Amino acid sequence: MPFIYSSAFPPAAPALTLDAAPARMPAEWETHQGTWMAFPPPNHTFGPSGSPTLDRARGAWARVARTISRYEPVTVLADPRDTTAAREWLGEGITVLGVPLDDAWLRDSGPTFTRRPDGTVAAVDWVFNGWGAQQWAQWGKDQNVGRVLAAHAGVPVNPSSLVNEGGGFHVDGEGTVLLTETVQLDPQRNPGATKESVEDAIHEALGTTKAIWLPRGLTRDYGEFGTRGHVDIVAAFAGPGTVLLHRQDNPAHPDHEVYQELHSALAGQTDAQGRPLRIIDVPAPAALEDDEGFVDWSYINHYVANNAVVLCSFDDPNDAVAAGILGRAYPGRTIELVDARDIFAFGGGIHCITQQQPAPAGRQEAAA
């Protein structure tokens, strides 16, 4: 269905539940019906109403939304108290939908969209518990966002019992999924889980058949406000058999050793179709530290929209290097550089605040 909603907060009818219908998560570069985001509310992460930090967050999120809206429809969830502010920050052409929110990392709290064998779209509703029940996190409202969003999108829900976030995996659309041992196997997320039990749940939900496990994520992601190793900041598929990998060249940065460990984990791997993985290194920004310590700035945390790649920029010499690499990895797409320093300051990047809804089969158009 098209992305047309009332600007008021509508009562969301319960989404239809599927009985484990087989489905496949399309690759991010497949055609989208649109993009979903959330508007930063006042909270522990962004600061109180009227604070400069909250304004910084809202400005950064709005820049991303406006950039994507040039290529596909964008719908932004906003807490009902913030809908007026959201419309003011976002401007014309972006739909605002009132939904109770705790935070604004919709890649993680929202559903994951899949396409069923009949071509229709459904939504996986993971269990969300604040990135492993972290002390600073709140998720009383966000744990319901997956079902509420799916109801507004008019798609059925396939509930999963796995505690998981959208930033914690990446798929190639052809059966392969990247996972991180410190995320899905986190005892604060899935106590007692094994690789086999996680793979069973992931494959059932996403239609994948092979998981490639990375041992960890970037160093800063294990700090007080980190996710404990989300894969979408360090590695991402950019085509069949092709993985982009965050490369830190400076041995003074702890992620220099992390890169070597992750490269070794990926080297020699094959995808679900038996193709050897081609690893494309993407150099990290030259900047090493900010006010909080070693940065986790990464070009891997980009978003692939219809006909475009929305790429994190950092006013850094390597911005142009990364744009060139991604331009070759996604030929024919416009590379849109958007300053992501404020997003990273709050704990994530452009991929973390976006979620694609794939177009139903039969309504796909070529997105070069």
Side-chain angles (χ1 to χ4, degrees):
M1 64 181 291
F3 271 53
I4 301 175
Y5 305 102
S6 167
S7 60
F9 177 48
L16 174 65
T17 297
L18 299 175
D19 292 327
R24 174 185 70 92
M25 182 183 178
E28 195 167 308
W29 54 84
E30 297 185 46
T31 308
H32 299 176
Q33 182 169 326
T35 295
W36 294 86
M37 296 179 64
F39 186 68
N43 66 9
H44 181 78
T45 302
F46 304 121
S49 295
S51 65
T53 53
L54 181 60
D55 285 350
R56 281 174 52 204
R58 289 175 169 181
W61 266 244
R63 285 192 293 274
V64 173
R66 289 194 296 267
T67 301
I68 297 171
S69 71
R70 297 202 293 268
Y71 297 92
E72 61 187 69
V74 176
T75 299
V76 177
L77 309 184
D79 194 88
R81 61 186 167 171
D82 296 325
T83 55
T84 299
R87 295 187 191 100
E88 292 173 351
W89 278 97
L90 296 166
E92 298 295 327
I94 295 175
T95 299
V96 174
L97 180 65
V99 171
L101 296 176
D102 293 305
D103 221 317
W105 307 99
L106 196 67
R107 173 71 54 177
D108 296 341
S109 60
T112 296
F113 290 99
T114 59
R115 192 180 295 127
R116 299 157 71 190
D118 64 1
T120 59
V121 172
V124 179
D125 180 31
W126 311 103
V127 177
F128 180 71
N129 76 342
W131 303 276
Q134 300 209 42
Q135 290 184 352
W136 55 267
Q138 295 180 323
W139 60 93
K141 300 173 184 176
D142 281 355
Q143 67 184 347
N144 300 314
V145 165
R147 294 186 300 277
V148 173
L149 191 158
H152 285 298
V155 301
V157 172
N158 186 6
S160 173
S161 60
L162 189 71
V163 177
N164 198 22
E165 303 98 35
F169 59 88
H170 209 278
V171 302
D172 65 354
E174 297 190 5
T176 320
V177 59
L178 297 174
L179 302 171
T180 314
E181 293 177 11
T182 56
V183 174
Q184 286 81 17
L185 300 181
D186 177 5
Q188 301 304 315
R189 285 177 166 100
N190 297 296
T194 64
K195 286 186 177 180
E196 292 75 16
S197 66
V198 168
E199 288 180 20
D200 286 345
I202 290 282
H203 294 336
E204 179 182 9
L206 303 181
T208 49
T209 57
K210 179 173 183 176
I212 298 175
W213 290 86
L214 299 182
R216 56 162 298 138
L218 297 185
T219 301
R220 186 152 166 174
D221 208 12
Y222 296 89
E224 181 181 3
F225 300 110
T227 70
R228 301 177 186 147
H230 271 189
V231 73
D232 69 348
I233 199 171
V234 69
F237 286 109
T242 301
V243 175
L244 302 173
L245 180 64
H246 178 82
R247 187 184 80 204
Q248 175 54 255
D249 290 325
N250 194 318
H253 195 299
D255 287 336
H256 178 68
E257 293 186 6
V258 172
Y259 159 73
Q260 295 173 324
E261 184 178 4
L262 298 181
H263 193 281
S264 295
L266 290 169
Q269 291 276 3
T270 58
D271 67 10
Q273 305 301 317
R275 293 174 292 230
L277 289 187
R278 180 170 68 108
I279 303 171
I280 300 176
D281 288 345
V282 183
L288 294 182
E289 297 185 61
D290 62 9
D291 294 340
E292 302 296 326
F294 287 111
V295 297
D296 58 351
W297 295 354
S298 171
Y299 301 109
I300 302 302
N301 200 268
H302 57 278
Y303 181 64
V304 184
N306 291 340
N307 299 309
V309 177
V310 186
L311 177 61
C312 300
S313 68
F314 305 95
D315 191 26
D316 189 277
N318 280 345
D319 290 354
V321 175
I325 294 172
L326 267 68
R328 293 187 291 275
Y330 299 103
R333 294 179 190 262
T334 301
I335 305 299
E336 293 277 7
L337 286 163
V338 179
D339 193 324
R341 285 173 291 180
D342 279 342
I343 305 175
F344 273 81
F346 293 112
I350 289 174
H351 196 255
C352 304
I353 67 174
T354 52
Q355 181 61 266
Q356 70 273 10
Q357 180 175 340
R363 292 180 54 190
Q364 301 178 65
E365 301 173 353

